Amino acid sequence: MNTALTQLAAGCDLASEAHTPLRLAFGLACVERVRHLLEDPEAIAGLDTLAAFTAGTVDAATLANAAARMKEVASHHRGSQSLDGSAHAAVSATYAVANALAGRALEAASYAAYATVYAYGGYAVQDLSAFEPEHQWQVLALQRLLDDAPSERSAQPAAASQPGA
């Protein structure tokens, strides 16, 4: 568990409805770091849908459809034939995508960190210090998004008033 991330998220009320775009952006940032561990083309497509949504190029219905599909994909992941632990890394990365698409940013971050560490080898997940670099990155990434959020919020009303927005 990333205690510092949990505290930062609680302090900024990340779970609030107002922070849905922030949760999606943070989930995307975390999962992009484990893209290379994804094996299922549908998981990659789900990640691409999340990126497109955060960029404003697909609608909420497309995001919701991708989230529902990824829930299925993640729960039925075939794993990998590899003996070096990458099966678990791929499964965890796929669950990270599913959680990110569903707006569960902290869960996505947790699965992404687990995928990163599991990719080192199955033994690594027993060493909590192996998670530290990823946990530190996640805290910094969320803090950067929070720091940028006021300027994004002030730009959103103008964009929303544009025709076709």
Side-chain angles (χ1 to χ4, degrees), residues 102-121:
R104 293 187 299 268
L106 293 183
E107 292 87 345
S110 181
Y111 276 110
Y114 196 82
T116 298
V117 173
Y118 223 121
Y120 303 153

Side-chain angles (χ1 to χ4, degrees), residues 64-107:
N65 289 336
R69 181 65 194 136
M70 277 309 303
K71 183 177 179 182
E72 276 294 307
V73 170
S75 66
H76 293 94
H77 193 285
R78 64 173 180 76
S80 169
Q81 300 306 310
S82 174
L83 297 177
D84 65 0
S86 64
H88 297 284
V91 171
S92 293
T94 302
Y95 271 101
V97 174
N99 279 282
L101 277 163
R104 293 187 299 268
L106 293 183
E107 292 87 345

Side-chain angles (χ1 to χ4, degrees), residues 84-150:
D84 65 0
S86 64
H88 297 284
V91 171
S92 293
T94 302
Y95 271 101
V97 174
N99 279 282
L101 277 163
R104 293 187 299 268
L106 293 183
E107 292 87 345
S110 181
Y111 276 110
Y114 196 82
T116 298
V117 173
Y118 223 121
Y120 303 153
Y123 66 90
V125 296
Q126 301 302 319
D127 179 5
L128 295 181
S129 69
F131 289 87
E132 276 309 305
E134 194 64 18
H135 284 175
Q136 290 173 1
W137 179 89
Q138 291 172 349
V139 170
L140 292 172
L142 180 55
Q143 188 61 60
R144 278 192 296 271
L145 287 169
L146 285 166
D147 291 346
D148 292 345

